């Protein structure tokens, strides 16, 4: 392999890797949201058991019955599915 080909491959690799770096940087700079994995797992299990998305937080002690918009429902179902499939 010639020096020019090697240089071209390195440039192509760097160009292909650039979007990955941008996403990683964006994730690093993003303020973390709700990070309680066990709460997400339990909410996913609740949705599977009841067949619906909850409109109130069924596990809240301080805000029982208060309206809740569950923006993370798809993530919760996915994490619960992965956990149920293999733990």
């Amino acid at each position: 392999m010639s020096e020019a080909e090697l240089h071209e491959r390195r440039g192509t690799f760097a160009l292909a890797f650039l979007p990955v770096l941008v996403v990683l940087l964006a994730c690093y700079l993003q303020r973390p949201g709700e990070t309680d994995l066990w709460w997400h797992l339990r909410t996913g299990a609740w949705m599977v058991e009841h067949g619906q998305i909850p409109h109130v937080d069924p596990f809240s002690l301080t805000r029982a019955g208060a309206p809740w918009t569950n923006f993370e429902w798809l993530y919760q179902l996915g994490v619960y599915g992965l956990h149920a499939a293999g733990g």
Side-chain angles (χ1 to χ4, degrees), residues 12 19 23 44 54 57 61 73 76 78 80 84:
T12 303
V23 169
D57 186 351
L61 207 53
W73 66 269
Q76 292 162 345
Y80 174 70

Side-chain angles (χ1 to χ4, degrees), residues 5-55:
E5 290 174 335
L6 185 60
H7 184 68
E8 183 179 332
R9 283 190 178 193
R10 285 182 185 156
T12 303
F13 176 76
L15 190 59
F17 195 64
L18 186 62
V20 174
L21 289 177
V22 169
V23 169
L24 289 175
L25 179 64
C27 289
Y28 175 74
L29 296 176
Q30 181 75 19
R31 193 179 114 176
E34 178 59 52
T35 57
D36 187 352
L37 179 62
W38 302 111
W39 181 80
H40 286 299
L41 280 171
R42 185 60 193 115
T43 304
W46 187 95
M47 286 188 281
V48 169
E49 292 166 4
H50 292 87
Q52 64 182 0
I53 298 172
H55 299 289

